[in-house]
Amino acid sequence: MKTLSFRLDSGLPADVRESLRKNLYWTDRAVRGVEVSDEDPATVTITCPEGTDEERLTAHVLADVATMTAELGQFPSRTVYESPGEPAAGRPAPLPPDRVLGELTARGWVSEELAGSFVYTGLMADLYYGLEHTFAETARQLGAREIHLPALLGTGTLLRSGYLADNAHAGNYVFHLHEDRELRSRFAAALPPDATEVDLGGLDTSADRPEAVLSPAACQPVFPALAGRRLTGPVRLTGYTRCYRYESGATHGLGRAREFGVREIVCAGSEAEVAAFRDELLAVCRTLLERFGLRGKVVTASDPFFIDTSARYRAFQLSFELKHEVQLDLGQGPPVAAASVNRHGDHFAQAWDIGLAGGGTAHSCCMGFGIDRWCLGVFSQFGCEVEQWPLSLRKVVAG
């Protein structure tokens, strides 16, 4: 392997650094690693195999960096609230994310099934499900009714909502062998006794037209359930599901997993009703940080959109403050986004014909709690000895 480095001309906001770290893997198949330094101006370092056409790869990387960093200075992120966390006296120094994963693995509380997918036991499982219960109770206190959210979505749902148009690369597509006795026999016969992987080459599958995608965002199936309705008042729903995003080489530990749990809250109603509920959700963000004594911020944010839409969507979201994130301090390196609050305008209501009884199109907003990342923040800031945690968190794991 060899590296190519590019020093940028100007500073980069944290969200743009994150987009570069994540999306430059999709610039070229030769990209095997992406590093973006934290200093200003930043340096982008690409790892690629020996023999790579450096001139071609450099041109591709620089073109994508230019696209993603366009108009950076116009719309900076804004801190809405900052929590100092528990008093520093007697508090352990924060553990960086890799140290957290190493400690949890050594204690037998986390084991990796494959890159970005984990088994949780012990205190990790107790915290995960304790937090999920806490977030669910918070949603109920906001008047949200429970809804079952599937982890398997039809491709038609994500096409109609527009998700796949910008995020097709992140999909975990589900397909199957076609119904055929001979095909099944050929598959079984081709597997050696010591097989460690599946090779579907030459077999007839539905991969060319997959019918389903593992859910990439928990709110996506809510809106089809409301399709065609005319709302007489705000609808508040909440549900839990597992979400899946293929992150290529950006997959890393608990902070950027391929599979993760989300407690979602969705509100649909008039523009004023949704705006008021969004304010309630932002208040919840502040309350939870204070309740758990976590160091973190609530900031205006943008999604790490794909390369060719990144600058445009970032400017749109930040200029209208459509997205806020709860970012938890991990000590060394960037914080982790553990929750987000998003205003959709009438986007989903237009797609699914959701209207108001008095006329007009509904609006919507949502909040998603990334439970695995909340766990990462807790273990990073308070360590692995539950006796050293704030009382509020000890109550969470005690049930």
Side-chain angles (χ1 to χ4, degrees):
M1 292 288 180
K2 61 181 178 181
T3 59
L4 305 175
S5 294
F6 315 94
R7 191 165 182 81
L8 304 186
D9 295 332
S10 59
L12 294 178
D15 63 310
V16 176
R17 293 176 196 266
E18 183 69 9
S19 287
L20 289 172
R21 290 185 181 108
K22 175 181 176 181
N23 285 321
L24 285 179
Y25 284 97
W26 299 93
T27 294
D28 193 290
R29 293 186 68 176
V31 176
R32 304 297 171 81
V34 177
E35 295 292 337
V36 182
S37 66
D38 291 328
E39 80 264 17
D40 286 323
T43 298
V44 177
T45 302
I46 302 296
T47 303
C48 58
E50 297 289 344
T52 297
D53 185 337
E54 291 189 26
E55 184 175 350
R56 173 177 174 274
L57 181 57
T58 297
H60 287 178
V61 169
L62 291 179
D64 286 344
V65 168
T67 299
M68 297 176 69
T69 56
E71 303 177 2
L72 285 182
Q74 295 188 29
F75 303 104
S77 177
R78 182 173 71 88
T79 297
V80 176
Y81 170 77
E82 184 168 1
S83 169
E86 287 283 291
R91 185 172 178 173
L95 296 176
D98 288 347
R99 279 281 309 279
V100 171
L101 183 57
E103 289 282 345
L104 297 178
T105 300
R107 292 169 182 255
W109 297 342
V110 172
S111 60
E112 189 174 68
E113 169 62 21
L114 78 165
S117 180
F118 301 93
V119 177
Y120 298 155
T121 61
L123 185 57
M124 179 64 177
D126 292 342
L127 178 60
Y128 181 95
Y129 286 105
L131 287 172
E132 204 293 302
H133 176 79
T134 299
F135 299 147
E137 181 60 30
T138 298
R140 286 190 286 270
Q141 291 172 359
L142 291 170
R145 296 183 59 185
E146 193 75 23
I147 181 174
H148 170 73
L149 297 176
L152 191 66
L153 305 183
T155 51
T157 294
L158 297 178
L159 288 168
R160 185 167 173 177
S161 73
Y163 184 90
L164 284 182
D166 293 322
N167 299 282
H169 61 292
N172 287 271
Y173 299 91
V174 178
F175 59 92
H176 56 82
L177 294 175
H178 283 308
E179 296 83 349
D180 184 287
R181 179 188 293 256
E182 181 183 353
L183 184 65
R184 185 186 65 189
S185 299
R186 284 171 52 202
F187 174 76
L191 286 177
D194 58 348
T196 59
E197 62 181 15
V198 173
D199 183 358
L200 297 180
L203 298 179
D204 193 12
T205 75
S206 65
D208 56 339
R209 291 180 179 271
E211 62 182 350
V213 181
L214 293 175
S215 179
C219 68
Q220 289 288 327
V222 174
F223 302 104
L226 300 175
R229 288 180 56 176
R230 297 296 176 263
L231 308 181
T232 58
V235 174
R236 300 179 177 187
L237 300 170
T238 183
Y240 166 83
T241 192
R242 301 291 289 175
C243 288
Y244 304 82
R245 294 179 192 167
Y246 179 65
E247 303 280 13
S248 185
T251 303
H252 189 81
L254 299 173
R256 186 163 295 285
R258 186 172 182 176
E259 176 187 6
F260 50 94
V262 175
R263 165 57 63 170
E264 190 80 4
I265 307 172
V266 176
C267 176
S270 70
E271 183 175 6
E273 290 165 342
V274 168
F277 189 66
R278 195 277 296 264
D279 291 342
E280 290 187 61
L281 294 176
L282 291 176
V284 164
C285 296
R286 297 190 294 270
T287 298
L288 288 172
L289 287 174
E290 293 170 358
R291 174 180 173 182
F292 295 141
L294 286 163
R295 285 192 301 274
K297 298 179 180 180
V298 181
V299 302
T300 59
S302 66
D303 289 297
F305 289 108
F306 199 45
I307 293 163
D308 55 359
T309 55
S310 180
R312 172 166 53 90
Y313 281 148
R314 179 182 186 273
F316 181 71
Q317 285 188 311
L318 286 173
S319 62
F320 291 99
E321 298 197 352
L322 300 180
K323 182 182 182 71
H324 291 76
E325 285 182 347
V326 175
Q327 297 182 349
L328 300 181
D329 180 21
L330 300 181
Q332 301 176 16
V336 64
S340 66
V341 178
N342 307 279
R343 283 186 69 177
H344 313 133
D346 63 0
H347 173 80
F348 289 110
Q350 290 278 7
W352 297 101
D353 185 29
I354 306 169
L356 304 173
T361 304
H363 282 229
S364 63
C365 70
C366 72
M367 180 174 186
F369 296 93
I371 305 170
D372 309 70
R373 289 181 171 185
W374 280 87
C375 293
L376 174 59
V378 169
F379 281 111
S380 173
Q381 294 191 27
F382 299 114
C384 296
E385 303 300 332
V386 70
E387 296 81 7
Q388 298 179 6
W389 291 7
L391 178 60
S392 57
L393 283 171
R394 280 181 273 152
K395 288 181 178 179
V396 165
V397 296

